[in-house]
Amino acid sequence: MRPRHDDPDIPDSVTPQMLDKVARAELKTLSKENAEWVARHLVMAGNLIDTDPTAAHQHALSAGRRAGRVAVVRETLAITAYETGDYALALRELRTFRRISGCTGSADGR
């Protein structure tokens, strides 16, 4: 998959297999090439969230451009937006994540 001019770089050492197995399974709706590309950006977002939230958010945004209808991508966008202080975006992405995934977030499932 050809990166866009504004996509952050990903080291060659970062592989899709580094992404959690459950998260990788959500990417199966994408083409193989796109799923691998998105997975690598999600790995980078996870690796950077504690040390460089802005860079993590850039990776999440890149993943979102290619897989906006995948719940784990929207969840990652919500987390990185929150960490960068963009609370309106974080709330919007969390609501989208809940709608896409069917997850209500409540203990009793309502």
Side-chain angles (χ1 to χ4, degrees):
M1 175 114 341
R2 203 169 124 197
R4 291 169 39 129
H5 70 281
D6 55 349
D7 287 334
D9 292 329
I10 304 172
D12 291 336
S13 60
V14 174
T15 67
Q17 293 73 25
M18 297 169 119
L19 186 64
D20 176 77
K21 185 177 176 180
V22 174
R24 259 193 348 258
E26 284 191 45
L27 302 179
K28 293 206 183 265
T29 60
L30 307 173
S31 70
K32 183 179 188 234
E33 184 179 6
N34 195 33
E36 289 177 356
W37 189 92
V38 170
R40 292 179 69 218
H41 276 288
L42 292 177
V43 169
M44 287 301 297
N47 288 347
L48 293 169
I49 192 68
D50 292 329
T51 58
D52 190 349
T54 301
H57 187 59
Q58 291 304 312
H59 283 284
L61 288 169
S62 291
R65 283 192 288 270
R66 303 282 175 117
R69 299 231 180 249
V70 177
V72 70
V73 172
R74 296 314 274 264
E75 181 181 29
T76 303
L77 275 166
I79 292 167
T80 61
Y82 182 85
E83 287 296 321
T84 60
D86 190 341
Y87 303 118
L89 178 61
L91 182 57
R92 187 180 81 217
E93 292 300 333
L94 182 58
R95 287 178 175 155
T96 302
F97 161 73
R98 290 175 67 182
R99 187 177 65 249
I100 291 171
S101 69
C103 177
T104 61
S106 64
D108 61 1
R110 288 188 277 159

